[in-house]
């Protein structure tokens, strides 16, 4: 099997990291959504304004490899988060959704899509806000947990917000210190 230069280097880096226990630094770039719906790439985490409904994606890299994306949506009393994990080929391997009612409770659910691309029924587990202690179903949870069913499905890294700018994101990531 013949590997291209970049692929060989990536395989060598992954192999050396796992064999020699080298910790890889994870860095992030951010993709923000403007009021008109357009996404733009930036190096620094955006200012969060819950009243304005701030939405952004955090793209986490280990070296030049995109490992995860976190889509965050802010509201006046809560936050909705979708965490996407990808394999080395850039395909979706895990999708977790969460709703946090600030200071009250956190709800999490596995939202990995079915073969037809939809998210079927899911079970939300509820926790105390600053711990992993399970709690019973909060009274107001249904209204907020329903937002998890509106998860955007990104099956590949190219389909992510700013997915078309991943080469630019890799360059921005490489210049971070």
């Amino acid at each position: 099997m013949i590997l291209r230069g970049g692929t060989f280097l990536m395989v060598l880096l992954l192999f050396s990291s796992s064999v020699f226990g080298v910790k890889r630094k994870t860095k992030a770039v951010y993709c923000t959504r403007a009021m008109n719906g357009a996404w733009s790439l930036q190096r620094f985490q955006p200012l969060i304004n819950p009243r304005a409904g701030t939405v952004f994606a955090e793209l986490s890299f280990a070296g030049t490899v995109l490992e995860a994306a976190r889509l965050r949506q802010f509201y006046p009393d809560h936050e909705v988060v979708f965490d996407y994990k990808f394999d080395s080929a850039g395909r979706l391997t895990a999708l977790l959704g969460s709703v946090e009612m600030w200071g009250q409770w956190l709800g999490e659910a596995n939202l990995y899509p079915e073969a037809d691309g939809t998210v079927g029924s899911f079970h939300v587990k509820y926790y105390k806000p600053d711990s992993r202690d399970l709690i019973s179903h909060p009274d107001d949870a249904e209204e907020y947990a329903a937002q998890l069913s509106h998860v955007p499905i990104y099956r590949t890294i190219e389909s992510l917000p700013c997915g078309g700018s991943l080469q630019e994101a890799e360059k921005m990531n490489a210049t971070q210190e």
Side-chain angles (χ1 to χ4, degrees):
M1 179 165 87
I2 300 174
L3 299 175
R4 293 182 296 190
T7 305
F8 175 74
L9 183 60
M10 186 182 316
V11 169
L12 183 61
L13 178 65
L14 291 173
F15 176 74
S16 66
S17 295
S18 63
V19 171
F20 299 112
V22 175
K23 274 200 161 186
R24 295 175 294 170
K25 279 188 170 180
T26 300
K27 297 181 183 175
V29 293
Y30 301 90
C31 189
T32 58
R33 188 171 74 187
M35 295 304 271
N36 67 3
W39 291 93
S40 62
L41 201 58
Q42 65 186 47
R43 191 176 294 203
F44 303 101
Q45 183 173 344
L47 296 175
I48 297 168
N49 181 350
R51 294 191 195 285
T54 300
V55 175
F56 69 89
E58 179 178 339
L59 307 174
S60 299
F61 290 84
T64 59
V65 177
L66 178 73
E67 288 193 325
R70 173 174 267 202
L71 182 63
R72 298 179 71 183
Q73 303 170 352
F74 293 87
Y75 300 92
D77 60 350
H78 69 285
E79 176 185 12
V80 178
V81 176
F82 299 109
D83 287 303
Y84 303 82
K85 302 278 187 221
F86 298 93
D87 65 14
S88 60
R91 292 183 305 259
L92 182 67
T93 59
L95 176 52
L96 179 71
S98 63
V99 175
E100 182 173 1
M101 287 297 296
W102 294 320
Q104 298 176 37
W105 53 264
L106 170 70
E108 291 184 341
N110 179 354
L111 301 174
Y112 194 80
E114 305 288 335
D116 65 0
T118 62
V119 175
S121 63
F122 53 87
H123 175 71
V124 180
K125 293 181 181 178
Y126 297 96
Y127 302 94
K128 290 181 182 177
D130 294 325
S131 73
R132 296 303 293 175
D133 296 336
L134 281 169
I135 59 173
S136 63
H137 189 278
D139 292 335
D140 59 349
E142 289 304 315
E143 174 185 343
Y144 297 100
Q147 291 178 299
L148 296 176
S149 64
H150 300 291
V151 58
I153 305 297
Y154 302 118
R155 289 196 174 272
T156 63
I157 59 175
E158 291 83 16
S159 64
L160 287 168
C162 296
S165 305
L166 285 179
Q167 287 182 336
E168 182 182 342
E170 290 172 0
K171 289 178 189 174
M172 289 172 80
N173 176 53
T175 60
Q176 290 183 14
E177 295 188 22

